[in-house]
C-alpha cells in the first residue's frame, strides 16, 4: 500500500477514447492506435468503443467540461465527476468523465441492474455454507448466516443498506453462481453502453483490472432508478434484518447524505443511490436528488482522503446543478441501452477545437478543456494519448488496473479516508466494525 502523499497536479489526462477521438482530427495519425493493440475484451461493443466517445466528444476530453453556466464548486478534489439530468440524460458538466478508476461498491448498482428482476421480493432462500464461500477477507458484511432462511427483499436490503458482500454472494449463487453473474454483469454493462467498465467480481471489492468510470456509474444509477424496487431499496434508511429464529437486528443505510450520520447534513430531496469505499480504491458515490420537479444525478470518484469528502463534493455539485442547471448547455448525454432502442455510438467525428492548456483545478475554468495549439502540438498530444491508451489495454489484458495516468491506478492507492461502514456494526447486533471516521478503520467494501 502506497503512502498517502498528495495527489499530483490535476493536469488533464486523455482516456483511451479521447486519444482515439483526437486521431480523427490529426491527419498525421492515420494509423489509429486501435490497430496497435488487441482488445482486452474482444466484443463488438468494445471494438466500437475504440473509435468513438460514448455520450459525445466533449466527454472524451480531460478536464472540466461545462457550457453556458458558471459557478462550479471550488476546491473539488475528485479525480472524476459528472452531473446529469435524470430525465433527459443531458450531461450538464463533467470532469474526466471516462477516466478509468476502481468503482468499489458503487459497482453493486450494476449488480442490481443485472439480477434484481430475476427473483420476486417474497421468494425465500435458506443459506448454505457454499453460498458464503469465497467472500474476500475484509469485506463489508450485513450478517448473513448459514442455516437461516431469508426473503429476497431482505437480501437486497443487505446489499443496498450495508453494502453486504455476503448478501451479494448469496444472490449470485441463486443466480447461477459468481462466475455466471460476473459474465451477466459484463453483458449488461455493454447493453447499457457502459464500455469503460470491466467486471471481475459482483461486489466491487478490490480486484486487479476491475474498473469503471463516472460516466458508466451514472448510467447504472439512471437505469436502476427506473425500477421501483431499486428506487425503494436505495432510499431506505433503516430495516430489520433476521438474526435467527424470531430475532432481528436493525441495519442502517451507510449513505450519509441520506441518513445524516457522522455529522453530514442530510440532503434535501435525496433519493439514494450507492456509496462505496475500499482502502485501495478510496471513496466513490453516485447520488440522485429531486428538487423543484427536477431530478439530478451526480457521481464523484476518488476525492482526496478525509472523512466525508465524497458526500460534501456530491452535495456541492447537486447544489450547482439545481442553481445553474437550467443555464447549462449539454456537454454530452447519457445514452440509452441498446435493448431499449438506444443507438450504438457511430465512429467518432472530428474532435472539437479548443484553446491551449488544461485547467489544473475544477474551479479555474468554465469552458471545455483545450487542445494544444498547432499541428505539432496536436500530434505530440495524440502520441502521448496513444501511448497511454496502449498501456491501459495491456494492463487490463494482463489482469491489472490501468495505471497510465499519474496517481490514477484506482487500485493500489493509499487509504483515502474512512470506509463506508457507518454507524453501528454491520454483520450482526454485536459485531464491532470500525467507524468510517475512525483513522484506524480499514474495513473494506
Amino acid at each position: 500500500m502506497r503512502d498517502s502523499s498528495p495527489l499530483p497536479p490535476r493536469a488533464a489526462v486523455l482516456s483511451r477514447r479521447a486519444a482515439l477521438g483526437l486521431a480523427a482530427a490529426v491527419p498525421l495519425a492515420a494509423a489509429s492506435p486501435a490497430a496497435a493493440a488487441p482488445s482486452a475484451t474482444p466484443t463488438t461493443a468494445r471494438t466500437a468503443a475504440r473509435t468513438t466517445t460514448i455520450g459525445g466528444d466533449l466527454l472524451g476530453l480531460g478536464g472540466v467540461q461545462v457550457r453556458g453556466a458558471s459557478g462550479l464548486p471550488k476546491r473539488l478534489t475528485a479525480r472524476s465527476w459528472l452531473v446529469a439530468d435524470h430525465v433527459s440524460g443531458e450531461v450538464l458538466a463533467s470532469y474526466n468523465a471516462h477516466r478509468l478508476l476502481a468503482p468499489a461498491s458503487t459497482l453493486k448498482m450494476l449488480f442490481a441492474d443485472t439480477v434484481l428482476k430475476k427473483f420476486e421480493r417474497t421468494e425465500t432462500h435458506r443459506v448454505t455454507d457454499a453460498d458464503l464461500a469465497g467472500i474476500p477477507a475484509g469485506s463489508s458484511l450485513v450478517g448473513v448466516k448459514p442455516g437461516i432462511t431469508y426473503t429476497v427483499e431482505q437480501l437486497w436490503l443487505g446489499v443496498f443498506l450495508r453494502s453486504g458482500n455476503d448478501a451479494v454472494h448469496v444472490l449470485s449463487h441463486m443466480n447461477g453462481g459468481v462466475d455466471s453473474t460476473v459474465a451477466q454483469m459484463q453483458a449488461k454493462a455493454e447493453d447499457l453502453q457502459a464500455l469503460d467498465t470491466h467486471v471481475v467480481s459482483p461486489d466491487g471489492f478490490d480486484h486487479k483490472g476491475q474498473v469503471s468510470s463516472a460516466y458508466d456509474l451514472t448510467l447504472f444509477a439512471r437505469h436502476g432508478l427506473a425500477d421501483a424496487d431499486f428506487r425503494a431499496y436505495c432510499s431506505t434508511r433503516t430495516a430489520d434484518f433476521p438474526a435467527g429464529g424470531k430475532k432481528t437486528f436493525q441495519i442502517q443505510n451507510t449513505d450519509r447524505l441520506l441518513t445524516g450520520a457522522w455529522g453530514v447534513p442530510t440532503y434535501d430531496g435525496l433519493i439514494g443511490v450507492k456509496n462505496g469505499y475500499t482502502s485501495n480504491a478510496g471513496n466513490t458515490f453516485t447520488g440522485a436528488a429531486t428538487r423543484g420537479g427536477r431530478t439530478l444525478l451526480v457521481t464523484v470518484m476518488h476525492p482526496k482522503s478525509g472523512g466525508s469528502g465524497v458526500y460534501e463534493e456530491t452535495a456541492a455539485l447537486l447544489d450547482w446543478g439545481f442553481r445553474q442547471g437550467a443555464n447549462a448547455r449539454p456537454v454530452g448525454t447519457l445514452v440509452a441501452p441498446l435493448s431499449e432502442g438506444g443507438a450504438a455510438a457511430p465512429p467518432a467525428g472530428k474532435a472539437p477545437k479548443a484553446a491551449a492548456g488544461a485547467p489544473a483545478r475544477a474551479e479555474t475554468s468554465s469552458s471545455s478543456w483545450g487542445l494544444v495549439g498547432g499541428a505539432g502540438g496536436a500530434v505530440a498530444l495524440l502520441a502521448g494519448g496513444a501511448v497511454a491508451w496502449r498501456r491501459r489495454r495491456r494492463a487490463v489484458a494482463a489482469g491489472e488496473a490501468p495505471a497510465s495516468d499519474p496517481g490514477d491506478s484506482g487500485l493500489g492507492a493509499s487509504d483515502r479516508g474512512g470506509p463506508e461502514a457507518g454507524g453501528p456494526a454491520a454483520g450482526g447486533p454485536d459485531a464491532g466494525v470500525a467507524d468510517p471516521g475512525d483513522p484506524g478503520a480499514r474495513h473494506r467494501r
Side-chain angles (χ1 to χ4, degrees):
M1 202 173 292
R2 292 198 289 241
D3 62 27
S4 54
S5 57
L7 296 178
R10 306 185 59 76
V13 179
L14 287 177
S15 71
R16 54 176 179 167
R17 294 178 186 171
L20 293 165
L22 286 172
V26 184
L28 293 179
S32 168
S39 173
T41 308
T43 67
T44 301
R46 286 184 177 272
T47 300
R50 287 182 282 163
T51 58
T52 191
T53 296
I54 304 297
D57 287 342
L58 288 177
L59 299 182
L61 300 178
V64 174
Q65 305 301 323
V66 63
R67 301 191 300 176
S70 59
L72 279 169
K74 296 182 178 180
R75 293 180 292 277
L76 294 175
T77 67
R79 295 179 181 179
S80 178
W81 54 259
L82 185 145
V83 183
D85 185 281
H86 175 260
V87 175
S88 69
E90 294 176 344
V91 178
L92 307 179
S94 69
Y95 179 75
N96 297 336
H98 283 291
R99 193 172 193 174
L100 303 183
L101 294 166
S105 280
T106 47
L107 193 65
K108 289 183 172 77
M109 293 188 294
L110 176 60
F111 174 70
D113 289 344
T114 305
V115 180
L116 190 59
K117 305 310 292 183
K118 302 285 186 73
F119 309 102
E120 295 293 331
R121 296 168 64 114
T122 56
E123 185 172 338
T124 60
H125 178 77
R126 184 177 177 86
V127 173
T128 67
D129 289 326
D131 292 333
L132 300 174
I135 298 173
S139 289
S140 55
L141 306 172
V142 64
V144 176
K145 303 297 182 185
I148 297 178
T149 297
Y150 300 85
T151 65
V152 165
E153 179 178 13
Q154 289 166 338
L155 292 170
W156 280 116
L157 287 168
V159 172
F160 276 92
L161 273 66
R162 298 305 302 179
S163 207
N165 288 0
D166 46 358
V168 169
H169 278 250
V170 172
L171 287 163
S172 295
H173 280 282
M174 293 173 63
N175 187 49
V178 170
D179 291 343
S180 176
T181 298
V182 166
Q184 292 173 45
M185 289 172 66
Q186 190 66 63
K188 185 67 173 181
E190 294 183 3
D191 175 63
L192 296 175
Q193 304 199 64
L195 303 183
D196 297 323
T197 299
H198 181 63
V199 184
V200 179
S201 70
D203 49 37
F205 195 83
D206 290 337
H207 291 279
K208 290 182 178 180
Q210 184 153 270
V211 292
S212 190
S213 68
Y215 182 86
D216 285 10
L217 294 179
T218 311
L219 285 180
F220 302 154
R222 187 186 187 213
H223 181 76
L225 288 171
D227 180 87
D229 287 342
F230 183 109
R231 195 179 183 104
Y233 289 138
C234 75
S235 62
T236 299
R237 290 174 170 80
T238 63
D240 292 329
F241 199 78
K246 295 183 178 181
K247 296 181 180 179
T248 63
F249 60 94
Q250 188 182 82
I251 57 174
Q252 303 84 27
N253 200 312
T254 58
D255 178 351
R256 300 183 195 178
L257 286 182
L258 187 68
T259 65
W262 301 103
V264 176
T266 58
Y267 194 86
D268 184 31
L270 193 80
I271 300 169
V273 176
K274 190 68 188 77
N275 51 350
Y277 171 87
T278 69
S279 58
N280 287 327
N283 290 286
T284 59
F285 182 61
T286 297
T290 300
R291 286 185 181 177
R294 187 176 200 183
T295 299
L296 297 180
L297 297 164
V298 168
T299 294
V300 171
M301 299 188 75
H302 302 209
K304 286 184 178 178
S305 59
S308 299
V310 72
Y311 302 104
E312 294 165 358
E313 296 191 16
T314 297
L317 286 166
L318 283 169
D319 285 344
W320 175 85
F322 288 120
R323 286 196 314 265
Q324 298 290 335
N327 300 322
R329 301 197 308 276
V331 296
T333 187
L334 300 176
V335 296
L338 297 175
S339 62
E340 297 178 11
K350 186 175 182 180
K353 295 180 180 179
R361 299 178 61 86
E363 68 270 20
T364 62
S365 174
S366 61
S367 61
S368 300
W369 175 76
L371 180 65
V372 175
V379 172
L381 183 58
L382 174 63
V387 170
W389 179 88
R390 286 194 293 269
R391 287 176 180 169
R392 285 170 180 257
R393 300 300 288 183
R394 285 197 297 267
V396 174
E400 300 176 357
S404 59
D405 302 340
D408 188 24
S409 66
L411 301 179
S414 60
D415 283 1
R416 314 272 306 284
E420 295 303 328
D430 301 318
V433 177
D435 166 72
D438 179 359
R442 291 297 180 267
H443 206 65
R444 302 179 182 178
R445 72 163 26 107

